[in-house]
Amino acid sequence: MNKSTITLLIKNNQDLIFKSKNSFVIGKQKQKEKQLNNSFSSNSVKSQLTWKSWYLCPDTSTEIGNNPKLSNFIKLYFDLSSKGNYLSSSSDQINLEKLSYGKFSSILNLKKVNDIRYINKFFETVNTILPNSGLYLGKLTTYPYRRKAILKKYPPVFNKIIYFFDYIFSRLLPKIPISKKIYYFLTRGKGRVMSRAEMYGRLYSCGFEVIDERSINQFLFFVAKKVREPYYDKTPTYGPLISLDRIGKNGKILKVYKLRTMHPFSEYLQEYIYNRNKLQEGGKIKNDFRISPVGRVLRKFWLDEIPMLINVFKGEIKLVGVRPLSKHFYSLYDKDLQQKRIKYKPGFIPPFYVDLPKTMNEIMESERKYLDLYDKSPIITDVKYFFMAFKNVLFKGARSK
């Protein structure tokens, strides 16, 4: 094999073996051609899928043919007669021959993402294969599906105990630095459970945009479109203390510390969730599925903001000031306010807790008023806002949602 090729081996556990980034070479598939044609002949959906137009394994065609909801969902976005599709199976080794950039316009993988060992590397590899606007279909078992299946399978009381240990093993161990090596040694990455938010965040970090989803037979199927190159995030975080990129004085990017209230990789979904759900009262995103159950409690009592005091002690932000914003939320502000905001350090206690605005326009007006007052009398303004915010939080129950 020359150095310009890349070997992609997808076994039952969907492991990837990388040698370079230009093309993919694996094995041969000629022995399966007769099996494929025979497997498609008995079903109207299968009859549209011939081995000449699809590269797949028999079990995959059976799964599609026997599932009308899945086949109808696939036909919304994929031309079943096209020769530009690659369809992978979950049951045996997939052989790819010279699978290089531009050869396929879409990839459909009916292997559960939960069983892929290196998920981001896999998605980054799919990104290198597909052209711009190329489509990828995937399959996921989420937290709610897993919980429902366990509680239904086992008798009462015992099912709660089993779910508790499954929660520890499948959700916590893979994300704790000390235990995740043991977990992956025992499982090879198969069977871990993740949230819908984490899955979509991983897709967005790897250069995809989610365009549709369906819940079918206790699985979440999704279609994603390639929109750019991956970010190649080398340092994803899973622990309770996180640092987020926020815009500070003079437009400088700050690492702001907070307690985790969202699922991992949720930061990549800001634009996606904003476009879908818009803002609710108070300027937060409506029905934000990125927030975990524990995160909602932390936000209710403002506990997630406490680590920002580290930024205060480091002199990166003030005790009182406008909220440090992500790039996406910063882009929602009027241009004049954007320029005015970056003249000063952001703050730990924002004017939001003084004026309690409900709409985006009211939030911007609240910040304009504070910045105008701060221009005239910085110390008096911050002292006044500190005690007014304290009163609203303590007596009026002002909280972050």
Side-chain angles (χ1 to χ4, degrees):
M1 182 184 302
N2 62 48
K3 295 181 179 179
S4 66
T5 61
I6 179 170
T7 299
L8 170 61
L9 182 60
I10 311 178
K11 295 183 178 179
N12 287 337
N13 61 0
Q14 207 75 345
D15 286 337
L16 302 185
I17 301 175
F18 296 89
K19 302 227 174 179
S20 76
K21 290 186 177 180
N22 295 331
S23 62
F24 297 79
V25 177
I26 292 192
K28 296 182 179 179
Q29 195 170 345
K30 294 187 177 180
Q31 294 179 353
K32 295 183 179 179
E33 294 173 359
K34 292 183 179 179
Q35 290 178 294
L36 296 180
N37 284 326
N38 291 335
S39 68
F40 300 146
S41 60
S42 62
N43 186 279
S44 60
V45 174
K46 297 176 190 176
S47 65
Q48 299 180 65
L49 306 173
T50 67
W51 67 266
K52 294 180 181 179
S53 61
W54 289 75
Y55 292 78
L56 51 91
C57 296
D59 289 349
T60 305
S61 64
T62 300
E63 180 174 358
I64 295 176
N66 292 338
N67 192 331
K69 289 184 178 179
L70 177 57
S71 62
N72 289 336
F73 180 53
I74 288 175
K75 286 190 287 186
L76 289 175
Y77 298 97
F78 301 91
D79 180 2
L80 301 182
S81 63
S82 170
K83 295 183 179 181
N85 302 299
Y86 179 83
L87 178 59
S88 65
S89 170
S90 62
S91 60
D92 54 17
Q93 180 175 330
I94 303 165
N95 295 316
L96 308 176
E97 291 190 358
K98 298 181 180 179
L99 184 57
S100 56
Y101 174 81
K103 182 174 182 180
F104 296 102
S105 61
S106 60
I107 295 177
L108 295 87
N109 183 12
L110 299 186
K111 176 79 173 180
K112 288 189 300 182
V113 177
N114 310 75
D115 292 339
I116 299 176
R117 172 63 178 89
Y118 300 104
I119 297 175
N120 279 33
K121 287 184 179 179
F122 178 77
F123 287 153
E124 288 164 4
T125 301
V126 173
N127 187 292
T128 65
I129 297 171
L130 293 176
N132 290 333
S133 298
L135 298 181
Y136 174 79
L137 179 136
K139 173 183 176 181
L140 174 71
T141 297
T142 61
Y143 290 151
Y145 294 152
R146 177 83 160 218
R147 183 177 186 275
K148 185 177 180 180
I150 291 175
L151 296 182
K152 183 178 180 181
K153 182 177 180 181
Y154 299 99
V157 180
F158 289 102
N159 57 5
K160 297 288 181 64
I161 297 173
I162 292 171
Y163 175 71
F164 172 77
F165 285 104
D166 180 78
Y167 179 94
I168 298 295
F169 185 77
S170 300
R171 294 177 62 175
L172 295 185
L173 293 188
K175 292 179 170 59
I176 301 174
I178 297 176
S179 61
K180 72 177 182 180
K181 290 185 179 180
I182 299 174
Y183 173 85
Y184 287 123
F185 175 78
L186 294 174
T187 67
R188 295 186 180 182
K190 295 183 65 175
R192 59 179 155 161
V193 188
M194 69 186 71
S195 66
R196 171 174 166 239
E198 178 180 347
M199 180 74 271
Y200 288 178
R202 287 177 180 270
L203 283 166
Y204 272 74
S205 75
C206 294
F208 291 92
E209 175 187 30
V210 177
I211 60 175
D212 204 355
E213 60 183 12
R214 288 288 190 283
S215 294
I216 303 173
N217 296 342
Q218 299 300 309
F219 293 107
L220 178 66
F221 290 87
F222 57 86
V223 177
K225 179 172 68 174
K226 176 180 174 179
V227 293
R228 54 169 174 75
E229 297 299 311
Y231 286 124
Y232 296 106
D233 188 347
K234 303 297 183 182
T235 57
T237 59
Y238 301 96
L241 181 64
I242 59 174
S243 61
L244 303 172
D245 289 341
R246 295 293 183 260
I247 297 176
K249 186 177 180 180
N250 298 322
K252 179 182 177 182
I253 300 299
L254 304 175
K255 290 289 185 180
V256 172
Y257 298 98
K258 297 185 73 174
L259 289 179
R260 179 182 296 283
T261 60
M262 294 185 176
H263 297 288
F265 289 91
S266 291
E267 184 75 0
Y268 292 100
L269 292 177
Q270 280 202 347
E271 185 174 354
Y272 167 78
I273 193 70
Y274 171 77
N275 290 335
R276 281 174 60 97
N277 297 4
K278 302 303 179 183
L279 299 180
Q280 65 181 356
E281 185 178 293
K284 295 289 186 178
I285 292 176
K286 187 187 302 181
N287 300 324
D288 195 342
F289 66 84
R290 300 175 301 165
I291 304 174
S292 67
V294 174
R296 295 189 188 280
V297 176
L298 294 176
R299 289 189 172 202
K300 182 177 181 179
F301 296 101
W302 214 32
L303 299 176
D304 61 310
E305 308 281 358
I306 291 176
M308 285 177 60
L309 290 171
I310 298 173
N311 298 103
V312 176
F313 296 143
K314 291 171 66 176
E316 295 172 332
I317 66 175
K318 304 189 293 132
L319 185 61
V320 177
V322 294
R323 189 190 302 271
L325 297 177
S326 65
K327 290 182 179 179
H328 172 69
F329 270 96
Y330 181 77
S331 69
L332 302 180
Y333 276 57
D334 294 342
K335 295 298 182 182
D336 67 303
L337 185 54
Q338 289 180 7
Q339 296 304 312
K340 195 165 190 173
R341 281 178 121 265
I342 61 175
K343 291 180 180 179
Y344 313 97
K345 291 181 181 180
F348 174 65
I349 301 173
F352 173 90
Y353 291 102
V354 174
D355 298 319
L356 302 179
K358 295 182 178 181
T359 67
M360 190 65 185
N361 286 334
E362 288 178 358
I363 291 172
M364 289 191 289
E365 286 307 310
S366 171
E367 294 190 358
R368 280 194 180 95
K369 183 177 74 172
Y370 164 78
L371 292 173
D372 288 341
L373 292 172
Y374 186 82
D375 270 339
K376 299 174 183 177
S377 183
I379 297 177
I380 293 176
T381 298
D382 279 359
V383 171
K384 179 182 177 182
Y385 268 71
F386 175 83
F387 284 106
M388 290 175 68
F390 181 79
K391 183 184 71 173
N392 285 343
V393 170
L394 189 63
F395 296 108
K396 292 187 178 181
R399 297 288 187 272
S400 177
K401 295 183 179 181

